[in-house]
Amino acid sequence: MDVLELSAIDPEQRELVGGKAAGLAALIRLGERVPDGFCVTTEAHSRGEVPRAEFLAAYERLGAGPVAVRSSATAEDLPDASFAGQQDTFLAVEGADDVLAAVRACWDSLHTERATAYREAAGIAHDTVRMAVVVQRMVDAEVAGVLFTANPVTGSRSECVVDAAPGPGTAVVDGAAAADHYVLDGTAPEVRGCLTPARSNELREVGDRLQSRLGAPQDVEWAYDHDGTLWLLQSRPITTLFPAPPASGRPGPRLYVEFGHVQGMLQPVTPVGMSTLKEMLAGMLASVGMTVDVVDIGGRLYGDLTDAMRDPVTRRRLVRLMAVDFGPRAQAVVEHLLHDPRFAPVRGTRRRNTAALATAPKAVAGILGALARPAKARARVFAAIEHLRQQPVVDPPTVAELLPLVEETERPDPGLGAITWPVVTGILVAAVLPTLLKGIASDDEIRTVLGGMPHNVTIEMDLALWQVARHAAPHRGLLLGTSPDELAAAHLAGELPDIGLTAFLDTYGHRCAAEVDAGVPRWSEAPAPVFAALANYLRVTDPDQGPDRRFERARARAESMLAELVRRARSERPVRGRLAGFFLRRARELAGLREAGKFAGLYALRDRRRRLLLIGAELRAKGLLERADDVRFLTLPELRAVVDGGGEPRRTVAERQSHYARELRRRTVPVALLSDGTDVETLLPARTSDGRTFTGTGAATGRARGPARVVRDPADAYVEPGEILVAPTSDPGWTPLFLTAGGLVTETGAVMAHGPTVAREYGIPAVICVPGATELIRTGQMITVDGAAGTVTLDAPDAQPDAAPGPDAVSASSGFAGE
């Protein structure tokens, strides 16, 4: 079939007619008013020939007058890629030869530079895409434009947004001229611009209808002709919206705060990992007296904090409670909404938390014990970790026996109690320092005291990898000249020389980026990121910039600053000075344990993942999965159903893989959402900026200047000595990159989260919560990071280097903190 009337197309025929024609066919099937037209199918495109007789007959049926000729590629108007403006449209084309030429021009636009680049960014293979072309009767438009059935800026599903202009609407779509802008929220529309209130209301009604019937927010092109008739020219999913929260079934708006950045991860969680993390996070919050529903939104973990916001007691301390892990962006959102009447306090909101009450006596005893005898508490922590590392684990031989062990998410290890309270004590002691030292020490000075912190398992891991790099020096050429993936494959095959990496992975191989997700491969399975880090370390040619010496300098600065702050406090008030000295020293002795709890918990997660893979291998052997690791795309209940003989999971796995791949490409994740999908940060007052200075939150003291290195995935990244690492986030799997970095900039985080904590240990300045940093800053740009001011400043344009440094160049601009 080469030419099809739009009214004869089945919307499921996307591979034959492309996205735009399929969307128009769906509108026609719904009874919407769409201009008559036809489609030149992908079969004609594949042959490279338009069947002239068939084409001319279809054009004659349209009246042979002016028409719109529009591309309709198979990779167009997709749920996650609109291809808006990437391929060509020709309006008011008249005459058979000119229309045929426009069809061929649409075909050619499939291979333009912009369309090719867009497909690559969207992860769409070029050889899978075909082009159909839609030809429609031209609407003689009095006014035309675009309707978004949800607000594309804020994400609110409670608002429609319309841009309109007189004429055919090309100025609106192309952005060539200013358009009248309307936000329709259900209230009476204003009398202004080129749309009457009646037409505004009609457009909102159409938008509500399409969003409901098509099952997703829509981007709709429309036109009113001179008779006042509304025509729909296109409807496709809005691709930029973050998914809205699931319906809660509870009255009023709800507030959801994202938890991923607590663990330094923005990538989506696999379905199998989601099961464990929901329960783990709910339990963690319950231990501090907060009962929170944890939900999956866009593959990320969000907590419903609405009840805490409306509780008259909890709301008073909510912003302060969020300081430790959630960070300043989440705090700013909550502080803003505390003044919103929709979240006013309501009596009877509180849900009694018996878990917190039962835990309180143990908490008091554990915290006081750690404060009194910190060395003994540390010894118990590391003894418990070593016990977990060496504990023999036997895997049952059958899937029927393995699955119950995977499903046991609530079985606490008795040894974790020895770890929990010293860790909590270290966090609390560090958190109380700003209040205790108010008027005596600045935040920057307190962060200096928290630098070069001993007893941190993540720091010990990074320094252990540094020692591996030193042993690997004789093999520098091999490690720098071979890709991390090739090196990883050779290591797993036993084909590499012994550089001490096997011993390193025996201790730390249960770690990785996004390591709290059981669906993510560990370093022991996929060590490519470790080899990428080793290559970075081998580029450090100045021994004085080695991470061991940098850590030692940070430790010395911390001890010196501690003594100075104690002296200041004592000179003001002796009792306060003794108290300040006690807490400062306890912070040095205990705050480094912050990573220990998570590190210990990863052993159980490692065992869970191994058992999941064993189950996956068995299902693969039965022909139920393509690969053993596909098991990560099933939830635990779904996995139970499959093991019990309840169906064929391949289609579910394929759909989840596609969704996961789309979400991996998402560059930004809202820190907080309202129940209608509103990104709460879009409601906050805009930060002022001169275009060169970006404001975040200082998280590690010092000032550094160097070329930026934008990294979105640590798996194969390199950071030259002295470069400023600019990343969306950071977790322990990212920290090996810190050993060569001169500074750190992230888009998310909290001062006490993993990344900033490790940055302080190495004495490199860090600024976190810089929105859009990975987009605003380019690799190679010279930037200055000021951890005290919380700013990142681009050099003036004429001061920028001509090109980013190459992979084997060593920057002369180290700029390490305090040096």
Side-chain angles (χ1 to χ4, degrees), residues 387-395 606-607 610-611:
H387 168 75
L388 289 170
R389 188 177 78 85
Q390 294 188 358
Q391 187 174 5
V393 179
V394 178
D395 294 321
R606 171 202 62 189
D607 295 336
R610 185 183 63 254
R611 288 164 175 163

Side-chain angles (χ1 to χ4, degrees), residues 275-610:
S275 303
T276 305
L277 286 173
K278 279 186 177 182
E279 296 182 16
M280 183 188 77
L281 284 168
M284 179 182 74
L285 290 163
S287 69
V288 296
M290 295 175 63
T291 302
V292 175
D293 295 326
V294 181
V295 298
D296 173 359
I297 308 176
R300 278 80 177 183
L301 288 149
Y302 282 79
D304 184 346
L305 297 189
T306 312
D307 290 346
M309 290 279 291
R310 292 179 177 153
D311 178 73
V313 176
T314 305
R315 66 188 274 116
R316 292 194 215 115
R317 57 192 178 99
L318 189 56
V319 174
R320 189 172 66 254
L321 279 173
M322 299 177 74
V324 173
D325 270 326
F326 288 89
R329 289 177 63 187
Q331 286 179 287
V333 160
V334 168
E335 196 157 22
H336 175 79
L337 290 181
L338 286 174
H339 303 286
D340 189 319
R342 296 175 297 173
F343 292 94
V346 177
R347 292 185 179 277
T349 305
R350 170 167 295 191
R351 288 187 273 176
R352 185 175 178 82
N353 192 318
T354 56
L357 293 174
T359 305
K362 293 181 181 178
V364 172
I367 291 169
L368 291 178
L371 286 173
R373 298 180 180 83
K376 188 175 180 180
R378 287 199 310 271
R380 287 199 304 270
V381 167
F382 290 112
I385 290 175
E386 186 61 17
H387 168 75
L388 289 170
R389 188 177 78 85
Q390 294 188 358
Q391 187 174 5
V393 179
V394 178
D395 294 321
T398 68
V399 167
E401 295 170 294
L402 279 168
L403 187 54
L405 295 179
V406 172
E407 292 170 325
E408 287 180 1
T409 57
E410 292 294 329
R411 184 180 61 177
D413 189 286
L416 291 180
I419 298 173
T420 300
W421 300 119
V423 171
V424 169
T425 306
I427 293 173
L428 292 176
V429 169
V432 81
L433 291 178
T435 301
L436 181 64
L437 296 170
K438 189 174 183 179
I440 294 175
S442 68
D443 288 346
D444 201 42
E445 290 172 322
I446 292 171
R447 293 188 197 112
T448 298
V449 174
L450 297 176
M453 192 77 72
H455 319 303
N456 185 315
V457 291
T458 297
I459 301 299
E460 293 168 358
M461 174 189 77
D462 292 343
L463 293 177
L465 191 58
W466 168 248
Q467 293 303 316
V468 174
R470 297 181 70 177
H471 293 146
H475 307 286
R476 188 175 190 273
L478 171 67
L479 295 173
L480 288 179
T482 310
S483 74
D485 286 334
E486 290 177 289
L487 290 168
H491 170 78
L492 294 174
E495 298 170 355
L496 288 184
D498 181 14
I499 57 174
L501 187 60
T502 299
F504 173 85
L505 292 175
D506 285 344
T507 303
Y508 299 108
H510 63 309
R511 307 206 79 173
C512 60
E515 60 196 2
V516 294
D517 182 355
V520 174
R522 314 288 105 177
W523 282 341
S524 57
E525 303 170 56
V530 180
F531 282 103
L534 282 173
N536 290 330
Y537 298 173
L538 288 168
R539 296 186 180 102
V540 178
T541 56
D542 180 358
D544 200 44
Q545 299 302 344
D548 48 354
R549 297 191 187 183
R550 293 169 61 185
F551 178 77
E552 177 56 30
R553 289 195 293 270
R555 185 203 62 76
R557 286 194 297 269
E559 295 290 350
S560 175
M561 181 59 69
L562 188 154
E564 167 62 17
L565 296 184
V566 171
R567 185 195 63 76
R568 288 185 206 169
R570 283 179 175 170
S571 66
E572 183 178 298
R573 196 175 299 169
V575 173
R576 188 180 185 189
R578 285 194 294 274
L579 192 62
F582 175 83
F583 277 97
L584 283 166
R585 282 189 290 272
R586 288 301 182 266
R588 295 288 305 165
E589 293 179 285
L590 294 170
L593 297 176
R594 189 192 189 288
E595 300 286 316
K598 179 185 179 186
F599 184 82
L602 290 174
Y603 287 113
L605 205 61
R606 171 202 62 189
D607 295 336
R608 169 186 289 261
R609 175 167 173 79
R610 185 183 63 254

Side-chain angles (χ1 to χ4, degrees), residues 70 89 91 138-147 163-179 194 220-224 233:
R70 311 172 74 191
T89 288
L91 301 180
M138 192 72 192
V139 175
D140 183 15
E142 178 187 10
V143 60
V146 178
L147 159 70
D163 282 343
T170 52
V172 175
V173 175
D174 297 341
C194 61
V220 183
E221 290 183 25
W222 53 270
Y224 279 100
L233 310 178

